[in-house]
Amino acid sequence: MNVSASSPTVGTARLRSLRRVVASAVAAVAGVGLSACAEGHPEPTGSDAPAAVTTAAPVGTPDAPAPATVLTGTRYYLDTTGTAAEIHAVRGDVDRVTARVPLGAGSCIRNTITISPYGERLAWVEGGVGQDAGTLVTSMIDGSRKRVVERQAPFGGKALCLGSNPLVWNTNDLLMVEQARMVPTLIDVAENKPADGDAGNETLKWWSADGRSWAAVSEGKPYATGGRGAHFYHYTPPKAEAARYDGWRVRSVSMDGRYVAVGWMNTDPSREDGSFAVVDTTTSKVVELPGTGQVRSILFASDDKVIVRRATGITVLDKSFRPLGAVEEPAAVRDMALLAYVP
């Protein structure tokens, strides 16, 4: 069962776990280096990749004319409309498919396939018709080095594939999965086995791209880490929309942990990737984002850019939410989920 941020729970175990989280957050900020870097990302490859497709160049806004370099990195999109899940890499004016994963029977792959924050790895759950759990599979971004994560305590060999974001990345090498009874487990993808340490008892976790800041829910209360430690915040979603969804959750965290992008959770078990607002966790205030049009998703990138995706295209902001420019998306990817941006 999904746990929304507005549903209070009780228990001293989570309080003890939160104390461990706070201590870990302070230690991580003080001394832990990045566990992944953005260098050496593989270029889109694969014999089944289509020919390059010319896309629109970045365009300006009245407030901030955009240079051609407003987004110099790669945007990764997910398309699952056919018989396979396709990862599209859009860089400059080129759109290529880097990997194709057959969807098979059931909805597990469609609902779980995801990409690591620096665009290096894929992960998904394979399960049959009517199944709500299945085999955890990982690969490189081009689909190579495909591996099954075998049973090894505390991982029972089956990962949930339904619900709100059953797979969540903690840098490129760690992946949080949910097992039966919503038990979270961290998988060391590089080593293809469970990671050392306790995954904690908090729910609805999400990490910044470098894994040094994160947001979660403890005792029914949302909190975020970063800077000087952990702090709780409050957020009340729009009443007109709230009744249509099963609560809200964080879907992106700024590199310093101060800001979170929040999105709805579906009332059914299907995939949901969108977000619609940014909350300042130090003040509990909603950030007013420049631009017009309905917000589809908000992504905090590892270079401190804020990518706001609207129906009309992408608005690029700096870390203070000032506009840097806009990018017109090619028609081929406008209806796809934007999974990651790698500078």
Side-chain angles (χ1 to χ4, degrees):
M1 181 175 71
N2 292 332
V3 181
S4 78
S6 57
S7 302
T9 59
V10 296
T12 58
R14 289 190 177 181
L15 290 177
R16 290 195 297 269
S17 181
L18 179 58
R19 294 190 188 102
R20 293 196 300 270
V21 168
V22 174
S24 299
V26 175
V29 173
V32 177
L34 297 181
S35 62
C37 65
E39 298 179 357
H41 301 302
E43 291 296 323
T45 59
S47 58
D48 58 351
V53 179
T54 301
T55 63
V59 296
T61 66
D63 295 331
T69 57
V70 64
L71 284 181
T72 59
T74 302
R75 286 169 282 146
Y76 289 95
Y77 294 83
L78 171 65
D79 181 21
T80 59
T81 58
T83 59
E86 294 184 344
I87 302 298
H88 285 245
V90 177
R91 186 180 181 91
D93 61 353
V94 174
D95 170 13
R96 293 185 183 274
V97 173
T98 67
R100 289 184 174 93
V101 177
L103 292 175
S107 59
C108 277
I109 295 176
R110 185 186 301 274
N111 197 55
T112 59
I113 188 165
T114 183
I115 185 173
S116 61
Y118 288 101
E120 294 180 1
R121 304 181 187 275
L122 296 176
W124 63 89
V125 177
E126 295 182 349
V129 176
Q131 293 185 355
D132 59 4
T135 302
L136 179 62
V137 183
T138 67
S139 77
M140 303 306 292
I141 184 62
D142 61 357
S144 65
R145 294 177 60 186
K146 179 180 174 181
R147 299 189 294 182
V148 172
V149 181
E150 303 290 350
R151 179 176 181 176
Q152 182 177 341
F155 181 58
K158 294 291 184 180
L160 293 181
C161 60
L162 302 182
S164 175
N165 304 98
L167 303 182
V168 179
W169 289 96
N170 177 357
T171 71
N172 276 316
D173 295 332
L174 296 179
L175 180 69
M176 187 180 72
V177 305
E178 290 183 356
Q179 301 189 73
R181 298 182 298 278
M182 306 298 286
V183 176
T185 302
L186 276 176
I187 301 296
D188 186 327
V189 178
E191 298 295 329
N192 202 43
K193 65 179 184 179
D196 296 332
D198 184 4
N201 293 320
E202 291 75 34
T203 60
L204 304 181
K205 292 181 181 179
W206 205 280
W207 283 266
S208 60
D210 61 4
R212 300 182 68 182
S213 301
W214 67 89
V217 175
S218 179
E219 298 295 322
K221 299 177 181 179
Y223 74 92
T225 70
R228 298 180 179 177
H231 43 273
F232 290 93
Y233 66 96
H234 303 280
Y235 172 68
T236 302
K239 292 183 180 179
E241 296 288 323
R244 300 171 52 190
Y245 298 95
D246 191 21
W248 59 272
R249 69 160 300 152
V250 170
R251 284 210 175 82
S252 191
V253 178
S254 65
M255 296 295 281
D256 61 3
R258 176 174 177 177
Y259 299 99
V260 294
V262 299
W264 295 114
M265 294 187 295
N266 281 348
T267 54
D268 61 34
S270 61
R271 187 184 190 101
E272 177 62 68
D273 291 305
S275 49
F276 58 85
V278 170
V279 181
D280 184 338
T281 63
T282 65
T283 65
S284 296
K285 294 182 179 179
V286 175
V287 176
E288 184 175 351
L289 302 174
T292 58
Q294 183 179 7
V295 175
R296 297 173 59 185
S297 66
I298 304 159
L299 180 66
F300 291 100
S302 60
D303 62 354
D304 283 326
K305 286 187 175 69
V306 185
I307 299 175
V308 181
R309 194 182 188 204
R310 303 176 186 270
T312 54
I314 290 176
T315 303
V316 183
L317 313 175
D318 66 13
K319 64 181 181 179
S320 298
F321 304 100
R322 292 186 293 260
L324 298 175
V327 175
E328 182 180 347
E329 293 184 292
V333 302
R334 288 175 188 168
D335 292 330
M336 300 179 192
L338 176 61
L339 297 185
Y341 170 70
V342 180

PDB file of all heavy atoms in Angstrom, residues 5-35:
ATOM      1  N   ALA A   5       2.477  11.337   2.075  1.00  0.00           N
ATOM      2  CA  ALA A   5       3.160  12.171   3.054  1.00  0.00           C
ATOM      3  C   ALA A   5       2.202  12.752   4.060  1.00  0.00           C
ATOM      4  O   ALA A   5       2.621  13.274   5.079  1.00  0.00           O
ATOM      5  CB  ALA A   5       3.926  13.281   2.345  1.00  0.00           C
ATOM      6  N   SER A   6       0.912  12.688   3.803  1.00  0.00           N
ATOM      7  CA  SER A   6      -0.052  13.258   4.726  1.00  0.00           C
ATOM      8  C   SER A   6      -0.690  12.209   5.610  1.00  0.00           C
ATOM      9  O   SER A   6      -1.588  12.501   6.365  1.00  0.00           O
ATOM     10  CB  SER A   6      -1.144  13.999   3.940  1.00  0.00           C
ATOM     11  OG  SER A   6      -1.764  13.128   3.033  1.00  0.00           O
ATOM     12  N   SER A   7      -0.226  10.937   5.527  1.00  0.00           N
ATOM     13  CA  SER A   7      -0.803   9.859   6.332  1.00  0.00           C
ATOM     14  C   SER A   7       0.096   9.561   7.522  1.00  0.00           C
ATOM     15  O   SER A   7       1.135   8.934   7.380  1.00  0.00           O
ATOM     16  CB  SER A   7      -0.967   8.594   5.475  1.00  0.00           C
ATOM     17  OG  SER A   7      -1.780   8.873   4.375  1.00  0.00           O
ATOM     18  N   PRO A   8      -0.251  10.029   8.774  1.00  0.00           N
ATOM     19  CA  PRO A   8       0.625   9.839   9.928  1.00  0.00           C
ATOM     20  C   PRO A   8       0.690   8.389  10.350  1.00  0.00           C
ATOM     21  O   PRO A   8      -0.269   7.651  10.296  1.00  0.00           O
ATOM     22  CB  PRO A   8      -0.034  10.708  11.005  1.00  0.00           C
ATOM     23  CG  PRO A   8      -1.466  10.781  10.599  1.00  0.00           C
ATOM     24  CD  PRO A   8      -1.479  10.745   9.116  1.00  0.00           C
ATOM     25  N   THR A   9       1.871   7.942  10.783  1.00  0.00           N
ATOM     26  CA  THR A   9       2.052   6.624  11.371  1.00  0.00           C
ATOM     27  C   THR A   9       2.787   6.782  12.671  1.00  0.00           C
ATOM     28  O   THR A   9       3.322   7.854  12.979  1.00  0.00           O
ATOM     29  CB  THR A   9       2.847   5.707  10.440  1.00  0.00           C
ATOM     30  OG1 THR A   9       4.112   6.316  10.194  1.00  0.00           O
ATOM     31  CG2 THR A   9       2.112   5.474   9.133  1.00  0.00           C
ATOM     32  N   VAL A  10       2.855   5.748  13.468  1.00  0.00           N
ATOM     33  CA  VAL A  10       3.513   5.817  14.766  1.00  0.00           C
ATOM     34  C   VAL A  10       4.505   4.710  14.877  1.00  0.00           C
ATOM     35  O   VAL A  10       4.495   3.747  14.134  1.00  0.00           O
ATOM     36  CB  VAL A  10       2.470   5.723  15.910  1.00  0.00           C
ATOM     37  CG1 VAL A  10       1.524   6.900  15.906  1.00  0.00           C
ATOM     38  CG2 VAL A  10       1.708   4.421  15.826  1.00  0.00           C
ATOM     39  N   GLY A  11       5.391   4.837  15.899  1.00  0.00           N
ATOM     40  CA  GLY A  11       6.366   3.761  16.140  1.00  0.00           C
ATOM     41  C   GLY A  11       7.721   4.330  16.440  1.00  0.00           C
ATOM     42  O   GLY A  11       8.190   5.221  15.754  1.00  0.00           O
ATOM     43  N   THR A  12       8.329   3.817  17.461  1.00  0.00           N
ATOM     44  CA  THR A  12       9.650   4.334  17.843  1.00  0.00           C
ATOM     45  C   THR A  12      10.734   3.886  16.909  1.00  0.00           C
ATOM     46  O   THR A  12      11.789   4.510  16.835  1.00  0.00           O
ATOM     47  CB  THR A  12       9.992   3.857  19.264  1.00  0.00           C
ATOM     48  OG1 THR A  12       9.957   2.440  19.274  1.00  0.00           O
ATOM     49  CG2 THR A  12       8.994   4.406  20.269  1.00  0.00           C
ATOM     50  N   ALA A  13      10.507   2.782  16.151  1.00  0.00           N
ATOM     51  CA  ALA A  13      11.565   2.280  15.255  1.00  0.00           C
ATOM     52  C   ALA A  13      11.931   3.310  14.226  1.00  0.00           C
ATOM     53  O   ALA A  13      13.101   3.524  13.920  1.00  0.00           O
ATOM     54  CB  ALA A  13      11.103   0.985  14.579  1.00  0.00           C
ATOM     55  N   ARG A  14      10.931   3.982  13.671  1.00  0.00           N
ATOM     56  CA  ARG A  14      11.236   4.979  12.647  1.00  0.00           C
ATOM     57  C   ARG A  14      11.919   6.210  13.237  1.00  0.00           C
ATOM     58  O   ARG A  14      12.711   6.859  12.571  1.00  0.00           O
ATOM     59  CB  ARG A  14       9.952   5.388  11.917  1.00  0.00           C
ATOM     60  CG  ARG A  14       9.433   4.275  11.026  1.00  0.00           C
ATOM     61  CD  ARG A  14       8.329   4.744  10.145  1.00  0.00           C
ATOM     62  NE  ARG A  14       7.882   3.689   9.259  1.00  0.00           N
ATOM     63  CZ  ARG A  14       6.937   3.813   8.352  1.00  0.00           C
ATOM     64  NH1 ARG A  14       6.351   4.971   8.177  1.00  0.00           N
ATOM     65  NH2 ARG A  14       6.582   2.789   7.592  1.00  0.00           N
ATOM     66  N   LEU A  15      11.573   6.525  14.501  1.00  0.00           N
ATOM     67  CA  LEU A  15      12.266   7.650  15.136  1.00  0.00           C
ATOM     68  C   LEU A  15      13.746   7.329  15.290  1.00  0.00           C
ATOM     69  O   LEU A  15      14.613   8.166  15.050  1.00  0.00           O
ATOM     70  CB  LEU A  15      11.624   7.947  16.496  1.00  0.00           C
ATOM     71  CG  LEU A  15      10.210   8.564  16.443  1.00  0.00           C
ATOM     72  CD1 LEU A  15       9.676   8.736  17.846  1.00  0.00           C
ATOM     73  CD2 LEU A  15      10.231   9.889  15.705  1.00  0.00           C
ATOM     74  N   ARG A  16      14.034   6.080  15.716  1.00  0.00           N
ATOM     75  CA  ARG A  16      15.435   5.693  15.820  1.00  0.00           C
ATOM     76  C   ARG A  16      16.101   5.720  14.460  1.00  0.00           C
ATOM     77  O   ARG A  16      17.245   6.157  14.318  1.00  0.00           O
ATOM     78  CB  ARG A  16      15.529   4.291  16.434  1.00  0.00           C
ATOM     79  CG  ARG A  16      15.149   4.247  17.901  1.00  0.00           C
ATOM     80  CD  ARG A  16      15.615   2.936  18.513  1.00  0.00           C
ATOM     81  NE  ARG A  16      14.963   1.809  17.900  1.00  0.00           N
ATOM     82  CZ  ARG A  16      13.824   1.283  18.350  1.00  0.00           C
ATOM     83  NH1 ARG A  16      13.231   1.783  19.416  1.00  0.00           N
ATOM     84  NH2 ARG A  16      13.292   0.227  17.730  1.00  0.00           N
ATOM     85  N   SER A  17      15.366   5.268  13.448  1.00  0.00           N
ATOM     86  CA  SER A  17      15.927   5.261  12.090  1.00  0.00           C
ATOM     87  C   SER A  17      16.194   6.670  11.612  1.00  0.00           C
ATOM     88  O   SER A  17      17.191   6.946  10.963  1.00  0.00           O
ATOM     89  CB  SER A  17      14.976   4.551  11.124  1.00  0.00           C
ATOM     90  OG  SER A  17      15.517   4.513   9.835  1.00  0.00           O
ATOM     91  N   LEU A  18      15.282   7.611  11.934  1.00  0.00           N
ATOM     92  CA  LEU A  18      15.478   8.999  11.522  1.00  0.00           C
ATOM     93  C   LEU A  18      16.698   9.600  12.185  1.00  0.00           C
ATOM     94  O   LEU A  18      17.449  10.349  11.565  1.00  0.00           O
ATOM     95  CB  LEU A  18      14.232   9.826  11.860  1.00  0.00           C
ATOM     96  CG  LEU A  18      14.322  11.316  11.502  1.00  0.00           C
ATOM     97  CD1 LEU A  18      14.606  11.481  10.005  1.00  0.00           C
ATOM     98  CD2 LEU A  18      13.052  12.042  11.888  1.00  0.00           C
ATOM     99  N   ARG A  19      16.917   9.227  13.478  1.00  0.00           N
ATOM    100  CA  ARG A  19      18.122   9.731  14.133  1.00  0.00           C
ATOM    101  C   ARG A  19      19.366   9.265  13.387  1.00  0.00           C
ATOM    102  O   ARG A  19      20.331   9.997  13.235  1.00  0.00           O
ATOM    103  CB  ARG A  19      18.153   9.256  15.584  1.00  0.00           C
ATOM    104  CG  ARG A  19      17.029   9.849  16.455  1.00  0.00           C
ATOM    105  CD  ARG A  19      17.252   9.539  17.924  1.00  0.00           C
ATOM    106  NE  ARG A  19      16.113   9.932  18.714  1.00  0.00           N
ATOM    107  CZ  ARG A  19      15.192   9.077  19.162  1.00  0.00           C
ATOM    108  NH1 ARG A  19      15.311   7.800  18.887  1.00  0.00           N
ATOM    109  NH2 ARG A  19      14.173   9.499  19.878  1.00  0.00           N
ATOM    110  N   ARG A  20      19.326   8.002  12.928  1.00  0.00           N
ATOM    111  CA  ARG A  20      20.459   7.502  12.147  1.00  0.00           C
ATOM    112  C   ARG A  20      20.594   8.257  10.835  1.00  0.00           C
ATOM    113  O   ARG A  20      21.692   8.540  10.372  1.00  0.00           O
ATOM    114  CB  ARG A  20      20.285   6.001  11.883  1.00  0.00           C
ATOM    115  CG  ARG A  20      20.371   5.154  13.122  1.00  0.00           C
ATOM    116  CD  ARG A  20      20.596   3.693  12.751  1.00  0.00           C
ATOM    117  NE  ARG A  20      19.523   3.171  11.943  1.00  0.00           N
ATOM    118  CZ  ARG A  20      18.438   2.594  12.459  1.00  0.00           C
ATOM    119  NH1 ARG A  20      18.303   2.478  13.770  1.00  0.00           N
ATOM    120  NH2 ARG A  20      17.499   2.111  11.665  1.00  0.00           N
ATOM    121  N   VAL A  21      19.457   8.606  10.233  1.00  0.00           N
ATOM    122  CA  VAL A  21      19.480   9.359   8.974  1.00  0.00           C
ATOM    123  C   VAL A  21      20.102  10.718   9.166  1.00  0.00           C
ATOM    124  O   VAL A  21      20.918  11.182   8.374  1.00  0.00           O
ATOM    125  CB  VAL A  21      18.045   9.493   8.409  1.00  0.00           C
ATOM    126  CG1 VAL A  21      18.017  10.501   7.273  1.00  0.00           C
ATOM    127  CG2 VAL A  21      17.541   8.154   7.912  1.00  0.00           C
ATOM    128  N   VAL A  22      19.688  11.409  10.265  1.00  0.00           N
ATOM    129  CA  VAL A  22      20.242  12.739  10.530  1.00  0.00           C
ATOM    130  C   VAL A  22      21.737  12.663  10.721  1.00  0.00           C
ATOM    131  O   VAL A  22      22.505  13.448  10.173  1.00  0.00           O
ATOM    132  CB  VAL A  22      19.566  13.357  11.777  1.00  0.00           C
ATOM    133  CG1 VAL A  22      20.232  14.669  12.132  1.00  0.00           C
ATOM    134  CG2 VAL A  22      18.082  13.564  11.522  1.00  0.00           C
ATOM    135  N   ALA A  23      22.187  11.676  11.512  1.00  0.00           N
ATOM    136  CA  ALA A  23      23.626  11.521  11.727  1.00  0.00           C
ATOM    137  C   ALA A  23      24.340  11.221  10.430  1.00  0.00           C
ATOM    138  O   ALA A  23      25.421  11.749  10.157  1.00  0.00           O
ATOM    139  CB  ALA A  23      23.882  10.409  12.746  1.00  0.00           C
ATOM    140  N   SER A  24      23.736  10.364   9.602  1.00  0.00           N
ATOM    141  CA  SER A  24      24.359  10.021   8.321  1.00  0.00           C
ATOM    142  C   SER A  24      24.434  11.212   7.404  1.00  0.00           C
ATOM    143  O   SER A  24      25.388  11.391   6.670  1.00  0.00           O
ATOM    144  CB  SER A  24      23.565   8.889   7.641  1.00  0.00           C
ATOM    145  OG  SER A  24      23.571   7.743   8.446  1.00  0.00           O
ATOM    146  N   ALA A  25      23.383  12.061   7.449  1.00  0.00           N
ATOM    147  CA  ALA A  25      23.370  13.229   6.573  1.00  0.00           C
ATOM    148  C   ALA A  25      24.496  14.181   6.915  1.00  0.00           C
ATOM    149  O   ALA A  25      25.186  14.705   6.043  1.00  0.00           O
ATOM    150  CB  ALA A  25      22.016  13.944   6.693  1.00  0.00           C
ATOM    151  N   VAL A  26      24.693  14.414   8.235  1.00  0.00           N
ATOM    152  CA  VAL A  26      25.765  15.321   8.641  1.00  0.00           C
ATOM    153  C   VAL A  26      27.114  14.766   8.235  1.00  0.00           C
ATOM    154  O   VAL A  26      27.983  15.465   7.714  1.00  0.00           O
ATOM    155  CB  VAL A  26      25.710  15.555  10.163  1.00  0.00           C
ATOM    156  CG1 VAL A  26      26.890  16.388  10.615  1.00  0.00           C
ATOM    157  CG2 VAL A  26      24.401  16.228  10.539  1.00  0.00           C
ATOM    158  N   ALA A  27      27.296  13.447   8.453  1.00  0.00           N
ATOM    159  CA  ALA A  27      28.573  12.830   8.092  1.00  0.00           C
ATOM    160  C   ALA A  27      28.793  12.865   6.603  1.00  0.00           C
ATOM    161  O   ALA A  27      29.915  13.093   6.134  1.00  0.00           O
ATOM    162  CB  ALA A  27      28.612  11.384   8.595  1.00  0.00           C
ATOM    163  N   ALA A  28      27.726  12.644   5.835  1.00  0.00           N
ATOM    164  CA  ALA A  28      27.885  12.612   4.372  1.00  0.00           C
ATOM    165  C   ALA A  28      28.296  13.961   3.846  1.00  0.00           C
ATOM    166  O   ALA A  28      29.163  14.076   2.979  1.00  0.00           O
ATOM    167  CB  ALA A  28      26.567  12.172   3.722  1.00  0.00           C
ATOM    168  N   VAL A  29      27.671  15.030   4.387  1.00  0.00           N
ATOM    169  CA  VAL A  29      28.009  16.368   3.923  1.00  0.00           C
ATOM    170  C   VAL A  29      29.419  16.732   4.319  1.00  0.00           C
ATOM    171  O   VAL A  29      30.152  17.406   3.604  1.00  0.00           O
ATOM    172  CB  VAL A  29      26.998  17.397   4.485  1.00  0.00           C
ATOM    173  CG1 VAL A  29      27.428  18.805   4.155  1.00  0.00           C
ATOM    174  CG2 VAL A  29      25.608  17.111   3.931  1.00  0.00           C
ATOM    175  N   ALA A  30      29.847  16.231   5.493  1.00  0.00           N
ATOM    176  CA  ALA A  30      31.168  16.594   5.987  1.00  0.00           C
ATOM    177  C   ALA A  30      32.287  15.895   5.252  1.00  0.00           C
ATOM    178  O   ALA A  30      33.341  16.482   5.007  1.00  0.00           O
ATOM    179  CB  ALA A  30      31.255  16.275   7.487  1.00  0.00           C
ATOM    180  N   GLY A  31      32.085  14.619   4.917  1.00  0.00           N
ATOM    181  CA  GLY A  31      33.259  13.912   4.444  1.00  0.00           C
ATOM    182  C   GLY A  31      33.120  12.957   3.293  1.00  0.00           C
ATOM    183  O   GLY A  31      34.114  12.424   2.838  1.00  0.00           O
ATOM    184  N   VAL A  32      31.900  12.722   2.805  1.00  0.00           N
ATOM    185  CA  VAL A  32      31.762  11.711   1.770  1.00  0.00           C
ATOM    186  C   VAL A  32      31.882  12.346   0.405  1.00  0.00           C
ATOM    187  O   VAL A  32      31.221  13.317   0.110  1.00  0.00           O
ATOM    188  CB  VAL A  32      30.393  11.009   1.894  1.00  0.00           C
ATOM    189  CG1 VAL A  32      30.229  10.010   0.757  1.00  0.00           C
ATOM    190  CG2 VAL A  32      30.298  10.304   3.233  1.00  0.00           C
ATOM    191  N   GLY A  33      32.708  11.784  -0.432  1.00  0.00           N
ATOM    192  CA  GLY A  33      32.863  12.291  -1.787  1.00  0.00           C
ATOM    193  C   GLY A  33      31.790  11.758  -2.677  1.00  0.00           C
ATOM    194  O   GLY A  33      30.993  10.907  -2.297  1.00  0.00           O
ATOM    195  N   LEU A  34      31.755  12.268  -3.876  1.00  0.00           N
ATOM    196  CA  LEU A  34      30.787  11.810  -4.851  1.00  0.00           C
ATOM    197  C   LEU A  34      31.050  10.352  -5.169  1.00  0.00           C
ATOM    198  O   LEU A  34      32.167   9.945  -5.390  1.00  0.00           O
ATOM    199  CB  LEU A  34      30.890  12.645  -6.135  1.00  0.00           C
ATOM    200  CG  LEU A  34      30.568  14.136  -5.989  1.00  0.00           C
ATOM    201  CD1 LEU A  34      30.699  14.789  -7.343  1.00  0.00           C
ATOM    202  CD2 LEU A  34      29.169  14.339  -5.448  1.00  0.00           C
ATOM    203  N   SER A  35      29.965   9.575  -5.229  1.00  0.00           N
ATOM    204  CA  SER A  35      30.110   8.168  -5.577  1.00  0.00           C
ATOM    205  C   SER A  35      29.975   7.932  -7.058  1.00  0.00           C
ATOM    206  O   SER A  35      30.087   6.809  -7.516  1.00  0.00           O
ATOM    207  CB  SER A  35      29.053   7.338  -4.832  1.00  0.00           C
ATOM    208  OG  SER A  35      27.772   7.734  -5.230  1.00  0.00           O
TER     209      SER A  35
END
